[in-house]
Amino acid sequence: MKAEAADAAGARLARQATVEVAGVLGKRDMSRADLARLMGVSPGRVSQILSGDENLTLRSLAAVAEALELDVRISFVEPKAVPQDMTTMRHGGSDAYVYTH
């Protein structure tokens, strides 16, 4: 049971990260191909990272952040506690929380 909960939480966290990256790309008017060039990888690799089908690793997330010249912040919060500057998005039957600043 705990493994299932951890898997669900991991999937939710990966969705949150990919939604956040997509938002950054949109704000910067960048495509996945642009991100691939910055990362020095193929556009297909970026699609794999951002698809949600892959187990998103911290290393992959760090590579994206490095290419975009951004820092990644990880916070542990009480369950269901959503900061006021975040919004809840439904994706695939579960929630992803995304900063809306």
Side-chain angles (χ1 to χ4, degrees), residues 69-81:
E69 297 180 349
L70 295 171
D71 290 332
V72 176
R73 292 184 184 163
I74 298 173
S75 300
F76 290 88
V77 296
E78 294 296 324
K80 303 295 180 184

Side-chain angles (χ1 to χ4, degrees), residues 44-84:
R45 177 65 184 131
V46 169
S47 289
Q48 283 179 332
I49 292 169
L50 299 181
S51 71
D53 292 337
E54 177 184 311
N55 182 12
L56 183 64
T57 65
L58 290 176
R59 188 176 303 264
S60 296
L61 190 57
V64 169
E66 184 70 24
L68 294 172
E69 297 180 349
L70 295 171
D71 290 332
V72 176
R73 292 184 184 163
I74 298 173
S75 300
F76 290 88
V77 296
E78 294 296 324
K80 303 295 180 184
V82 180
Q84 290 186 10

Side-chain angles (χ1 to χ4, degrees), residues 9 11 16 29 39 43 50 56 71 76 97-98 101:
Q16 179 182 346
D29 198 29
M39 292 178 68
L50 299 181
L56 183 64
D71 290 332
F76 290 88
Y97 301 101
V98 181
H101 46 179

